[in-house]
Amino acid sequence: MTNRLNKTVLMLLLLGTAGFMLLPWYVQEDGFWSFEWLLDGYPFDSDYAPAAFLLAQGEKLWLWPLVGFLLAPVTLLFKNKTNPIYARLLLICGIGGLAFLLGQGFAIGIQGWQINAFESLFGELGDRQFGLGYGALLLGLAFLFMITNGAAAKGAVNGDVFVVSAIGFVVAIVGIFIFYPILQMLTYAFRDDAGLYSITVFLEKFFSTKIWGLGCLDGSRGCGAAWNSLFLGVVVGASTTLLGLIFALVATRSGFRYVKVLRALTVLPIITPPFVIGLAIILLFGLSGSVTTFVADLFGLQATRWVYGMPGIMIAQMLAFTPIAFLVLIGVVEGISPSMEEAAQTLRASPWHTFRTVSLPLMRPGLANAFLLGFIESMADFGNPLVLGGNFDVLSTEIFFAIVGAQNDQGQASVLAIVLLTFTLLAFFAQRRWLGKKSYTTTTGKGDGGMHPKLPRRIKWPAYTIALIWTCMTLVIYAMIVYGGFVELWGLNNTLTFRHYIDAFGIGWNDNGILWQGSAWDSFWTTLQISAIAAPFTAMIGLVTAYLLVRQRFAGKNAFEFGTMLSFAIPGTVIGVSYILAFNVPPIELTGTGAILVLSFIFRNMPVGVRAGVASMSQLDKSLDEASLTLGANAWQTFRKIILPLMRPAILAAIVYSFVRAMTAISAVIFLVSAEYNMATSYIIGRVENNDYGLAIAYSTTLIVVMLIAVTLFQWLIIKRTGTRLAP
């Protein structure tokens, strides 16, 4: 026991020393993934020097206290963790070192003192510092794990070092990359043009008529962006939930022959960039759209722009988000115990009465989750309102124009983001309150060999009709997406051509090999790289969090779960704005780098990994863990050798979903892309704004094909390794 703990302390000291003495202390101008500093003035150049070299050269003298916090635990190398001083010293050094590291980062920035009181107290600094880099990151991790080891030695969570360290790590990253950006965004909402805090400025912006105006009621002008977004979110949430339920019932309760076709069609919108359906709707119903011109010529009518505004956005969002509701509800519908429905029919209840009084109430959690997803997706949607919005203002696009428009008003963007966040959080809490603490469990460990009753006639035929209309519409939409990429100039010159694909993905050869000539290649490779990096981290963090929630008991578990699931209720638009405001200045400078894109994807999609892990781990008997622990394995060994192998399908499913979402995301990344790290969806939006629909649709079609191939490969891998399939 003593040797193991001494080795742990030694590893912490080595980790911290490596960060302090070997790696660059400040962030590198070339980005987080660049290692050019190894060949460019390292370790003596101030831009690349480790903290120890900076101090040796008489620079950044305020870093000296970190040396004491780092070296003090050396006295614990030969002490047992049962020694009272062991836990106490680790906690003091860890908390003190981490607090000082972050404190000096916030106190001293690129213009010296960030806090005027410090300048009055200590005098002018005469120096400055940039964002923290590799070295500070490693030292911060060393201090963090000193805290967790000290807490474990104090007996936290039965003294299990792995579990306490996992909890500490998840709390730290959630705090830094979810709570800290949101808090920063809140502070910007209260700043005036001079950077001073003012409640008057906040109230003036918050209650502006552009946000809360009701001019649409008397026809004097349009409604404010808040009311537009709220109305659209409620309608889309309710309609997608209803449609998703209809498709789930058709797929499971009607004897429908072509269930596989229906499920395949529901996958397509999920792997499609969210604004592409909006583009297809323009090709169909726009001023020069196929349907518009056909109807105008047939009846001698004047073509209009009716599709621009709320009708077009609503149609696009319903088509895009209904599959998400279907995927939520099909599992709920299949999970209802047939015996309860059979019992109702045995008591002479009609099929309609059984469905209304037994089946539908048991679907309540699924309906609530489906509505919440549809509402949040609609509120956060940026691409479709940008493409189809016209004069119909919504919060997501208003936030975008406040940041990137001529006004460049970060305070206004923050206020709009607060309104958007408030709506989604209220919906999140309303859902939890509506469900309450009632039990909806219908399946137990006992066998249940009953059959689900068929749909009542009054539901079956309307459901068939609606499913048929939606299926035909989806097929037409995707036919237009494919066809639109081969048309020279939609509505004016319908000659078929490969020009758009050549412009986007042209390939040539020279003496050095392949030459990627197409204009879309840079953003395509960047998107693949960023998505491939983010996906496994998303799954890993999500599954570790799920392990802590399902298998461990500790103080503050409910708050821990809420914190990890908070990003589920935060729209991507808010994530993008808050990241820009929080990580544009020291102590954490990430703006313009690939790292900020990776992090935004990880924490935007983390709840998916958590939910996948919770669902999968709940099916694993706890006796497996107990047997492993009884045989002398610790929690880390049990997690690595027992839990992870059994959760392989959940891991791969989380990776697939995270990869697809990263490839198609737009609402957050539109704020975070840069010239060096431009994502596919951002590039496509740029083409749309320039009315280059052909190239935009050609690129979108290519993305859809790539993701279909990726999902198929993962599906094959899961079947080959485990014999199971991904969720529909």
Side-chain angles (χ1 to χ4, degrees):
M1 179 68 72
T2 301
N3 291 336
R4 182 173 69 86
L5 287 171
N6 286 342
K7 289 180 180 178
T8 301
V9 173
L10 178 62
M11 289 180 63
L12 292 175
L13 291 172
L14 291 176
L15 179 68
T17 302
F20 198 79
M21 300 188 66
L22 299 180
L23 295 177
W25 185 253
Y26 294 114
V27 68
Q28 299 306 296
E29 186 177 353
D30 296 327
F32 192 83
W33 313 113
S34 172
F35 293 94
E36 294 182 6
W37 49 270
L38 287 169
L39 306 174
D40 193 8
Y42 172 82
F44 299 104
D45 191 311
S46 297
D47 293 334
Y48 313 108
F53 282 81
L54 291 171
L55 292 175
Q57 294 170 177
E59 301 180 51
K60 322 301 181 192
L61 299 180
W62 58 82
L63 298 178
W64 271 113
L66 292 173
V67 178
F69 289 116
L70 175 61
L71 296 182
V74 170
T75 59
L76 302 178
L77 284 173
F78 300 100
K79 292 187 182 294
N80 192 295
K81 79 168 187 176
T82 57
N83 191 311
I85 197 175
Y86 183 91
R88 194 178 308 156
L89 187 58
L90 279 181
L91 287 171
I92 291 172
C93 292
I95 295 173
L98 193 59
F100 186 85
L101 176 64
L102 294 175
Q104 62 86 32
F106 283 105
I108 304 172
I110 55 177
Q111 295 180 344
W113 289 117
Q114 298 285 89
I115 303 172
N116 294 332
F118 285 174
E119 185 168 352
S120 302
L121 185 62
F122 300 108
E124 187 175 347
L125 188 62
D127 203 349
R128 60 177 183 168
Q129 66 177 353
F130 299 98
L132 303 177
Y134 300 112
L137 174 63
L138 283 191
L139 184 60
L141 285 175
F143 287 140
L144 174 64
F145 291 127
M146 284 182 191
I147 297 172
T148 59
N149 274 268
K154 279 277 191 181
V157 196
N158 298 320
D160 194 304
V161 174
F162 167 68
V163 174
V164 178
S165 297
I167 294 171
F169 180 73
V170 173
V171 168
I173 59 176
V174 167
I176 293 173
F177 297 111
I178 295 180
F179 285 98
Y180 169 63
I182 296 299
L183 291 175
Q184 279 289 92
M185 183 187 70
L186 293 175
T187 63
Y188 270 86
F190 290 87
R191 295 185 186 181
D192 58 19
D193 294 337
L196 302 176
Y197 291 98
S198 170
I199 187 67
T200 305
V201 170
F202 170 77
L203 293 175
E204 181 181 342
K205 292 181 178 179
F206 185 85
F207 290 106
S208 69
T209 55
K210 193 169 182 61
I211 298 178
W212 301 104
L214 292 172
C216 54
L217 297 182
D218 57 14
S220 61
R221 54 178 296 177
C223 273
W227 298 121
N228 290 342
S229 296
L230 181 61
F231 177 77
L232 188 65
V234 171
V235 172
V236 171
S239 57
T240 55
T241 300
L242 178 61
L243 289 171
L245 177 61
I246 289 172
F247 299 148
L249 292 172
V250 169
T252 59
R253 302 288 184 94
S254 68
F256 186 62
R257 295 182 180 180
Y258 305 104
V259 174
K260 290 185 178 179
V261 175
L262 182 62
R263 294 194 180 199
L265 287 176
T266 59
V267 170
L268 280 176
I270 294 175
I271 63 174
T272 302
F275 50 83
V276 174
I277 292 177
L279 288 178
I281 289 175
I282 290 176
L283 298 183
L284 286 170
F285 303 110
L287 195 61
S288 302
S290 301
V291 176
T292 302
T293 53
F294 175 78
V295 172
D297 293 341
L298 183 64
F299 296 101
L301 301 175
Q302 179 68 37
T304 66
R305 300 170 61 87
W306 70 270
V307 77
Y308 294 96
M310 187 181 69
I313 301 173
M314 192 178 299
I315 294 171
Q317 290 185 346
M318 287 172 61
L319 288 168
F321 304 143
T322 292
I324 299 175
F326 169 74
L327 293 180
V328 171
L329 289 168
I330 190 170
V332 175
V333 173
E334 289 178 331
I336 295 175
S337 172
S339 61
M340 301 187 71
E341 296 169 317
E342 289 179 347
Q345 292 185 329
T346 302
L347 295 172
R348 305 291 180 87
S350 66
W352 165 246
H353 190 73
T354 299
F355 175 79
R356 184 171 57 85
T357 61
V358 177
S359 304
L360 200 58
L362 291 173
M363 299 175 192
R364 194 170 175 175
L367 294 172
N369 284 326
F371 175 82
L372 183 63
L373 277 171
F375 179 81
I376 291 175
E377 291 286 355
S378 174
M379 296 287 287
D381 185 24
F382 169 79
N384 288 314
L386 185 67
V387 172
L388 291 165
N391 295 323
F392 187 77
D393 298 330
V394 294
L395 290 170
S396 57
T397 53
E398 288 299 299
I399 292 170
F400 173 73
F401 291 124
I403 287 286
V404 304
Q407 54 184 318
N408 189 23
D409 190 344
Q410 295 179 338
Q412 179 68 18
S414 299
V415 170
L416 291 165
I418 288 172
V419 176
L420 184 55
L421 179 61
T422 301
F423 282 151
T424 56
L425 287 179
L426 286 175
F428 184 72
F429 287 119
Q431 180 232 30
R432 293 173 70 95
R433 185 173 179 81
W434 185 61
L435 292 178
K437 297 183 179 180
K438 296 178 182 178
S439 174
Y440 298 91
T441 302
T442 65
T443 302
T444 64
K446 300 179 181 179
D448 194 347
M451 295 288 293
H452 289 294
K454 297 296 183 182
L455 283 177
R457 287 177 178 267
R458 68 173 69 183
I459 297 178
K460 179 178 179 179
W461 294 113
Y464 268 10
T465 303
I466 293 172
L468 179 62
I469 293 173
W470 188 89
T471 300
C472 292
M473 187 68 177
T474 301
L475 290 174
V476 170
I477 287 289
Y478 280 90
M480 296 304 296
I481 291 173
V482 174
Y483 180 59
F486 293 99
V487 174
E488 181 70 34
L489 187 60
W490 190 267
L492 298 176
N493 183 358
N494 291 333
T495 305
L496 296 180
T497 178
F498 286 99
R499 181 175 65 84
H500 304 305
Y501 285 93
I502 294 173
D503 290 345
F505 297 103
I507 299 176
W509 286 267
N510 58 18
D511 295 338
N512 297 322
I514 297 177
L515 185 64
W516 308 100
Q517 295 176 330
S519 61
W521 280 118
D522 285 343
S523 63
F524 179 77
W525 293 126
T526 300
T527 304
L528 278 180
Q529 179 187 14
I530 297 294
S531 303
I533 292 172
F537 282 106
T538 305
M540 179 184 69
I541 295 173
L543 292 173
V544 169
T545 304
Y547 170 76
L548 297 174
L549 293 174
V550 176
R551 285 296 200 262
Q552 304 297 329
R553 294 182 180 180
F554 50 91
K557 183 176 178 179
N558 290 335
F560 177 83
E561 181 176 12
F562 171 75
T564 57
M565 293 302 295
L566 180 63
S567 61
F568 168 78
I570 300 177
T573 312
V574 177
I575 291 285
V577 172
S578 61
Y579 270 43
I580 281 289
L581 299 178
F583 302 132
N584 194 41
V585 294
I588 306 176
E589 284 186 273
L590 297 173
T591 304
T593 67
I596 196 171
L597 292 166
V598 171
L599 290 167
S600 69
F601 290 141
I602 290 174
F603 292 97
R604 183 78 180 93
N605 298 323
M606 187 180 74
V608 177
V610 174
R611 291 296 99 188
V614 167
S616 179
M617 208 170 298
S618 298
Q619 298 175 330
L620 303 181
D621 198 320
K622 289 186 177 181
S623 62
L624 295 171
D625 304 38
E626 294 168 357
S628 175
L629 295 171
T630 301
L631 293 173
N634 56 33
W636 164 242
Q637 292 169 328
T638 301
F639 178 75
R640 181 168 56 90
K641 295 183 178 180
I642 305 296
I643 301 295
L644 285 183
L646 294 173
M647 293 181 62
R648 194 171 297 162
I651 295 172
L652 292 176
I655 290 175
V656 171
Y657 185 85
S658 303
F659 177 79
V660 168
R661 288 296 295 245
M663 289 285 291
T664 60
I666 181 62
S667 56
V669 301
I670 194 68
F671 299 96
L672 305 178
V673 294
S674 61
E676 184 177 358
Y677 294 98
N678 192 19
M679 300 289 285
T681 49
S682 175
Y683 179 90
I684 295 171
I685 283 289
R687 297 298 91 206
V688 172
E689 290 177 333
N690 291 329
N691 294 321
D692 192 354
Y693 292 136
L695 193 148
I697 293 175
Y699 197 167
S700 301
T701 305
T702 304
L703 281 183
I704 293 171
V705 172
V706 168
M707 283 182 287
L708 275 175
I709 294 172
V711 171
T712 303
L713 287 175
F714 274 109
Q715 182 79 51
W716 172 81
L717 180 61
I718 292 176
I719 294 174
K720 182 178 179 181
R721 293 293 184 91
T722 66
T724 59
R725 297 179 64 86
L726 284 171

